[in-house]
């Protein structure tokens, strides 16, 4: 493989409406690396994830996001996806009436042929079917899901598995998993963790946002980052993740009194 | 006041080929049925109506029926609800054009945007010409021939309505105009006065036709006319699915299309009537459709409306005897300059009858799509069930959706449910699809396609595929 691609986040400031949420995030992820992103509720983890894929609600007020030097800020979510960005959503939405297979065939046709315009050829049906069947098999997903409407009536766990299926089919260069392990029973956590373990490798940079330890046991992070009040305040290795699981964030807040104070303030604003 | 009267107005109907201005007439051939010199002209009066009847060589009763209908038409005021009909000029319309007069239009006269859409839909050459009015008939004689033989063996009658009047006078007269009398509404009266073409189907007791009968298979030149008249009789225990229309845009230079469809489904019979229409934007499409469903029978309307300037169409089912069931699935798509006022009527005249209506409408680019429906339960019709669900999807802030559900119940022991929802495409849905590599347009059309999927899956395969493709084109904004 040639030089691994780099996703570089520099001094990223993001607001929703007039409210600043991210206040200078720096992070570099290379293809082949696994990063864990941890931090208390409301610290800005999902905000970072959404910003990376170009959610229109999240406005970048300062800083940059680049993939191999290409600035993403001006690109819409579709263009970013075609450059290899992928988010496994914390709350995947339902698209009634759209079959999983049809959705995936369109998605894969676009991702594999980034120049494709709407209405142009899709991936050949036979090749697609085979690939879908094999991937579903591998992830222990019942073939019947291909014919169901996307996330319609899916249980929480089924939705998360569907995200992993998409990840497996689309093979992004950078995958962000936003609490893909939450709301799952322990069997499902194992399936998702093993799934990711199979998928990740030298071609994928992974950012795992999680509050649990299981996913990280199967996918040992090269780096662990802690977010507090919109900044990454600490970075360590897998041991840091372990420590936070064991002891919580009290120590982090003590070591970063300024961010802890800011966190306090926003909580007072949002909870009258 | 009775909302049923208010509602008994137009519905829509069939496709047609364009008619030509008499000035274009050049290469007509002699029409053997043309016993009298008939000159196509604009305008409506007794003489015109009498001439139409004479031209067709009809029996006296039909001539009288037409003339009586004209009187009713003239007496009835224009409906003051539904949509804006002020653009209709009754005296500036050709009410009858001989088949030979229809020739001579050239491909170049078909508007550019329509031709482009045909190309993008991949419509075959012969069919394109037919749809745009360049050719008066669709070449399908071969299929038609063998099918017809097959059906004839089973005693099925399937012909154009004019021929049926001549060839099957008794059964024709027994039912014609009994389900929708001319007095029903102004446009039914108009159709009764000047009707031409349409389909006639009789299915004998117990005969099950296991493939959809299609208007395409008929070769009569007039079956896609402006004032079609369709009559379907499904005898006891028989079963038929009739499909008419076409998803491709149908170009017509005529501004008014007003069809009437009458259906009788006898005991334990089943009938499904599927229509997909996509008129060009100049057309007023005002259609009356009604079925009478008898004991333990099932009547289903599947109705898709795209295009036209104004469509008013509310397929009705009268549930006449216990055990009768009625179902209407309706899809309306209104784009720029289009108003779809569509819906359904269910009239429960007997106990233990049930009805279901599912309506989905989409409005875009300033279009207006509405649901107008009536559920009526007559006195004595106990233990009836009715379920109405209408969902509207509005794609931008210029567009509009209205819901007018009328419910009239003269009986206590009934279960009536009505649910309505209006939605926009959620930002989160767009984001989700776009984050998987769809463009915004592709994502929206996928959401729209999904929205109507519960109805589209009821369509015959080729219609479903074409309809989805057409909606994609509409979403791309590349369709005229
Ligand atoms: N769309 C939005 N509108 C308004 N406020 C928002 C929006 N998105 C995020 N926020 C606010 O930004 C802050 C960070 O939220 P975010 O969802 O990024 O946190 P998180 O770290 O993912 O938390 P959790 O662990 O609970 O998932 C919170 O105060 C939240 O209320
Ligand atoms: Mg979150």
């Amino acid at each position: 493989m040639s030089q691994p691609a780099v996703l570089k986040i520099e001094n990223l400031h993001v607001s929703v409406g007039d409210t600043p949420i991210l206040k200078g995030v720096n992070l570099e992820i290379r293809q082949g690396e696994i990063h864990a992103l941890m931090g208390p509720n409301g610290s800005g983890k999902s905000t970072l994830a959404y910003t990376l894929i170009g959610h229109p609600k999240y406005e970048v007020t300062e800083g940059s996001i680049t993939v191999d030097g290409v600035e993403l800020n001006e690109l819409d979510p579709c263009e970013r996806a075609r450059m290899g960005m992928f988010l496994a959503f914390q709350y995947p939405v339902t698209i009634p009436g759209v079959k999983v297979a049809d959705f995936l065939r369109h998605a894969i046709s676009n991702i594999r042929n980034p120049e494709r315009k709407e209405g142009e050829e899709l991936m050949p049906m036979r090749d697609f079917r085979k690939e879908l069947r094999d991937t579903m098999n591998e992830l222990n997903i019942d073939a019947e899901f291909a014919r169901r409407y996307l996330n319609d009536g899916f249980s929480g766990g089924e939705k998360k598995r569907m995200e992993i299926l998409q990840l497996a089919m689309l093979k992004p260069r950078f995958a962000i998993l936003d609490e893909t392990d939450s709301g799952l029973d322990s069997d499902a956590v194992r399936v998702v963790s093993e799934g990711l373990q199979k998928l990740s490798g030298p071609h994928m940079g992974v950012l795992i946002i999680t509050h649990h330890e299981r996913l990280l046991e199967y996918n040992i992070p090269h780096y662990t980052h802690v977010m507090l009040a919109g900044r990454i305040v600490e970075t360590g290795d897998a041991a840091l993740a372990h420590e936070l699981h064991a002891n919580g964030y009290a120590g982090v807040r003590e070591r970063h009194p300024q961010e802890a104070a800011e966190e306090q303030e926003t909580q007072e604003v949002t909870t009258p | 006041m009775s909302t049923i009267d208010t509602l008994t107005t137009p519905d829509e109907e069939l496709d047609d080929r364009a008619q030509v201005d008499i000035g274009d007439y050049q290469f007509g051939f002699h029409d053997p049925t043309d016993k009298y010199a008939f000159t196509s002209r604009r305008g409506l009066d007794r003489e015109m109506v009498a001439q139409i009847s004479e031209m067709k060589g009809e029996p006296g009763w039909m001539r009288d029926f037409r003339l009586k209908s004209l009187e009713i038409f003239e007496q009835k005021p224009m409906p003051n609800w539904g949509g804006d009909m002020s653009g209709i000029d009754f005296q500036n319309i050709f009410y009858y054009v001989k088949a030979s007069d229809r020739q001579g239009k050239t491909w170049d006269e078909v508007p550019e945007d329509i031709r482009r859409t045909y190309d993008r839909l991949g419509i075959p050459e012969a069919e394109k010409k037919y749809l745009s009015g360049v050719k008066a008939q669709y070449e399908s004689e071969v299929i038609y021939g063998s099918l017809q033989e097959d059906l004839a063996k089973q005693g099925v009658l399937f012909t154009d309505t004019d021929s049926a009047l001549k060839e099957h006078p008794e059964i024709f007269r027994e039912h014609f105009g009994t389900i929708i009398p001319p007095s029903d509404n102004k446009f039914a009266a108009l159709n009764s006065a000047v009707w031409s073409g349409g389909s006639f189907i009789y299915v004998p007791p117990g005969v099950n036709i296991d493939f959809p009968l299609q208007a395409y298979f008929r070769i009569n030149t007039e079956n896609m006319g402006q004032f079609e008249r369709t009559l379907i009789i499904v005898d006891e225990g028989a079963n038929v699915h009739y499909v008419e229309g076409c998803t491709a845009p149908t170009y017509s230079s005529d501004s008014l299309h007003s069809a009437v469809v009458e259906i009788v489904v006898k005991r334990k019979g089943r009938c499904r009537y599927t229509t997909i229409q996509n008129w060009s934007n100049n057309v007023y499409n005002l259609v009356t459709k009604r079925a009478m469903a008898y004991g333990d029978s099932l009547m289903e309307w599947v109705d898709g409306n795209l295009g036209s300037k104004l469509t008013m169409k509310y397929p009705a089912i009268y549930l006449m005897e216990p055990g009768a069931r009625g179902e209407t699935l309706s899809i309306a798509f209104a784009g720029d300059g289009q108003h779809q006022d569509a819906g359904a009527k269910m009239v429960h005249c007997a106990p233990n009858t049930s009805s279901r209506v599912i309506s989905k409408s989409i409005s875009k680019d300033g279009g207006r799509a509405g649901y107008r429906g009536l559920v009526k339960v007559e006195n004595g019709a106990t233990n009836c069930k009715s379920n109405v669900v209408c969902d509207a999807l509005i794609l931008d802030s210029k567009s509009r959706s209205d819901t007018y559900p009328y419910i009239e119940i003269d009986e206590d022991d009934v279960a009536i449910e009505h649910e309505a929802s209006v939605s926009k495409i959620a930002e989160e849905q767009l984001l989700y699809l776009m984050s998987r590599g769809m463009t915004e347009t592709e994502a929206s059309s996928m959401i729209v396609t999904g929205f109507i999927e519960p109805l589209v899956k009821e369509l015959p395969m080729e219609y479903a595929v074409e309809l989805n493709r057409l909606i994609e084109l509409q979403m791309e904004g590349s369709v005229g």
Side-chain angles (χ1 to χ4, degrees), chain A residues 55-56 76-78 81-82 86-87 89 93-94 96-99 103 106-107 110 116 118 149 151 163 166, chain B residues 427-429 431-439 441-442 446-447 449-451 453-454 457 469 472 476:
Chain A
H55 192 312
D76 75 13
C78 156
R82 292 178 187 208
F86 179 93
L87 170 64
F89 283 77
V93 298
T94 297
V98 175
K99 293 198 183 85
F103 157 75
H106 277 83
N110 289 330
R116 181 180 174 273
E118 53 253 6
Y149 297 145
N151 293 325
E163 296 294 292
Q166 293 173 39
Chain B
E427 193 179 37
E428 302 297 327
Q429 289 180 326
L431 174 76
Y432 190 78
L433 295 179
M434 287 177 76
S435 79
R436 302 311 188 228
M438 322 285 176
T439 62
T441 306
E442 199 174 11
M446 189 169 269
I447 293 167
T449 308
F451 175 74
E453 148 78 17
K457 70 173 190 225
R469 180 77 187 109
E472 280 169 21
E476 285 171 27

Side-chain angles (χ1 to χ4, degrees), chain A residues 92-228:
Chain A
V93 298
T94 297
I95 316 278
V98 175
K99 293 198 183 85
V100 167
D102 292 337
F103 157 75
L104 269 172
R105 186 160 171 236
H106 277 83
I108 208 166
S109 303
N110 289 330
I111 301 287
R112 300 220 176 138
N113 173 17
E115 303 302 313
R116 181 180 174 273
K117 302 205 167 44
E118 53 253 6
E120 289 180 6
E121 292 273 292
L122 295 167
M123 181 176 173
M125 190 51 118
R126 284 184 53 153
D127 302 350
F128 170 74
R129 281 228 181 102
K130 179 171 184 328
E131 192 167 333
L132 180 60
R133 206 175 36 233
D134 294 350
T135 314
M136 290 177 94
N137 254 338
E138 205 158 306
L139 293 173
N140 266 324
I141 298 174
D142 192 332
E144 178 253 350
F145 275 89
R147 285 188 296 274
R148 284 183 60 180
Y149 297 145
L150 187 54
N151 293 325
D152 198 356
F154 288 19
S155 74
E158 288 166 348
K159 284 183 189 170
K160 296 294 173 78
R161 266 192 224 200
M162 210 34 69
E163 296 294 292
I164 296 297
L165 173 64
Q166 293 173 39
L167 176 68
M169 295 287 288
L170 301 180
K171 302 189 174 58
R173 290 196 287 175
F174 295 99
I176 305 144
L177 284 81
D178 193 356
E179 300 201 24
T180 303
D181 53 356
S182 63
L184 300 185
D185 64 34
S186 55
D187 290 349
V189 173
R190 188 173 40 78
V191 171
V192 165
S193 306
E194 285 174 354
L196 179 63
Q197 191 182 37
K198 279 185 213 158
L199 296 170
S200 61
H203 296 278
M204 204 188 283
V206 186
L207 181 65
I208 299 174
I209 299 172
T210 181
H211 294 294
H212 308 281
E213 227 172 339
R214 281 286 285 288
L215 191 48
L216 300 179
E217 282 169 10
Y218 286 80
N219 300 277
I220 296 168
H222 303 98
Y223 302 94
T224 299
H225 310 277
V226 185
M227 191 171 262
L228 189 62

Side-chain angles (χ1 to χ4, degrees), chain B residues 167-419:
Chain B
E167 292 162 17
H168 315 289
E170 275 165 35
I171 188 163
F172 186 97
R173 193 170 179 181
E174 183 187 341
H175 295 100
F176 183 88
T178 59
I179 300 136
I180 303 174
S183 56
D184 189 80
N185 69 76
K186 190 171 178 76
F187 290 93
L190 177 64
N191 175 282
S192 300
V194 300
W195 71 269
S196 218
S199 295
F200 172 86
I201 300 172
Y202 170 74
V203 191
V207 171
N208 174 30
I209 305 176
D210 54 9
F211 55 90
L213 289 186
Q214 302 199 16
Y216 268 12
F217 294 146
R218 291 168 300 131
I219 50 168
N220 186 277
T221 50
E222 287 172 335
N223 63 26
M224 304 288 250
Q226 270 183 276
F227 300 104
E228 292 197 337
R229 184 88 191 194
T230 288
L231 176 58
I232 300 176
I233 300 142
V234 182
D235 217 322
E236 298 194 359
N239 180 10
V240 69
H241 180 187
Y242 180 68
V243 184
E244 63 154 8
C246 151
T247 47
T250 310
Y251 175 66
S252 171
S253 50
D254 302 316
S255 59
L256 176 61
H257 288 253
S258 192
V260 164
V261 180
E262 299 181 284
I263 299 180
V264 181
V265 192
K266 298 197 178 164
R267 280 190 63 250
K268 299 197 170 163
R270 296 172 77 119
C271 178
R272 172 180 280 205
Y273 190 108
T274 298
T275 310
I276 302 286
Q277 289 198 309
N278 187 6
W279 288 108
S280 47
N281 274 2
N282 57 320
V283 170
Y284 290 88
N285 187 30
L286 311 168
V287 177
T288 310
K289 284 174 149 177
R290 187 176 302 162
M292 301 266 185
Y294 289 90
D296 298 316
S297 68
L298 172 63
M299 173 66 212
E300 298 166 292
W301 295 109
V302 178
D303 205 64
N305 299 295
L306 295 94
S308 86
K309 179 183 212 149
L310 171 65
T311 290
M312 290 171 68
K313 174 156 65 163
Y314 322 98
I317 304 174
Y318 282 65
L319 302 156
M320 305 300 289
E321 291 177 354
R325 287 182 295 147
E327 190 159 314
T328 299
L329 307 178
S330 133
I331 304 173
F333 190 114
D336 184 19
Q338 301 175 342
H339 181 183
Q340 307 282 0
D341 199 72
K345 269 193 294 182
M346 294 290 179
V347 183
H348 294 258
C349 307
N352 302 314
T353 50
S354 64
S355 64
R356 190 158 82 107
V357 176
I358 303 177
S359 152
K360 301 251 180 189
S361 74
I362 298 150
S363 43
K364 178 176 181 280
D365 296 335
R368 182 174 167 193
Y371 171 79
R372 187 183 300 272
L374 169 70
V375 174
K376 185 175 164 71
V377 180
E378 295 193 337
N379 193 359
T382 51
N383 193 31
C384 287
K385 287 196 198 82
S386 176
N387 177 257
V388 178
V389 180
C390 35
D391 298 325
L393 186 61
I394 304 178
L395 299 188
D396 51 55
S397 57
K398 290 186 293 184
S399 304
R400 172 172 167 188
S401 161
D402 323 272
T403 307
Y404 305 102
Y406 300 94
I407 299 178
E408 281 178 38
I409 301 175
D410 295 327
E411 187 55 61
D412 296 331
D413 178 19
V414 294
I416 308 286
E417 295 159 8
H418 176 93
E419 295 164 38

